[in-house]
Amino acid sequence: QVPLIESGGGVVQAGGSLRLSCVYSGRSWMNYACGWFRQAPGKEREFVATISWRGITNDAESVKGRFTISKDMAKNTVDLQMDNLTPEDTAVYYCAVPRGTYAYIEASDYDSWGQGTRVTVSA
């Protein structure tokens, strides 16, 4: 199994920024779609943002205008730039890859998952 590995999590105060990165070890992101999901303590996993094989993006209303998903082909990573963070963004963030190439928003469309990186935003 080829691993997905997230990095970049940490602790920031409200209004701060973090950049999460996801590497698909041994593979290029050029021909894959990628999604970011998160799970807060005591809550269900939820969709955050996704990018298709062709670069079309979609993001949740809760992060619209604050988070940006992108592919950095120089580093071979999919990044999630998170700005103007709020305590409600506190969660473990997961990178995932679907079998298809679209910007899927349902977790059930993804079958490969990383182990997550923790983001904590203090009030």
Side-chain angles (χ1 to χ4, degrees):
Q1 183 177 3
V2 180
L4 287 162
I5 304 175
E6 306 93 337
S7 63
V11 181
V12 297
Q13 292 189 340
S17 298
L18 284 173
R19 180 185 294 106
L20 307 184
S21 295
C22 180
V23 61
Y24 202 178
S25 184
R27 299 186 181 183
S28 172
W29 281 113
M30 184 172 64
N31 295 319
Y32 294 93
C34 178
W36 283 96
F37 293 78
R38 67 187 182 186
Q39 186 169 15
K43 300 180 67 177
E44 297 295 319
R45 181 175 55 186
E46 66 174 340
F47 165 73
V48 176
T50 183
I51 184 166
S52 75
W53 171 55
R54 300 186 182 188
I56 298 172
T57 62
N58 193 13
D59 47 56
E61 184 176 355
S62 61
V63 305
K64 185 72 175 179
R66 300 188 299 118
F67 291 11
T68 303
I69 187 170
S70 63
K71 293 184 179 182
D72 186 337
M73 298 313 304
K75 296 181 178 180
N76 194 30
T77 60
V78 170
D79 299 334
L80 183 69
Q81 177 65 42
M82 306 186 296
D83 297 320
N84 194 25
L85 287 161
T86 73
E88 288 71 32
D89 296 316
T90 295
V92 175
Y93 285 71
Y94 298 90
C95 173
V97 172
R99 290 182 178 178
T101 59
Y102 296 107
Y104 303 99
I105 65 173
E106 298 292 338
S108 60
D109 290 315
Y110 294 80
D111 61 1
S112 298
W113 296 82
Q115 292 187 311
T117 184
R118 185 176 297 276
V119 171
T120 301
V121 184
S122 61

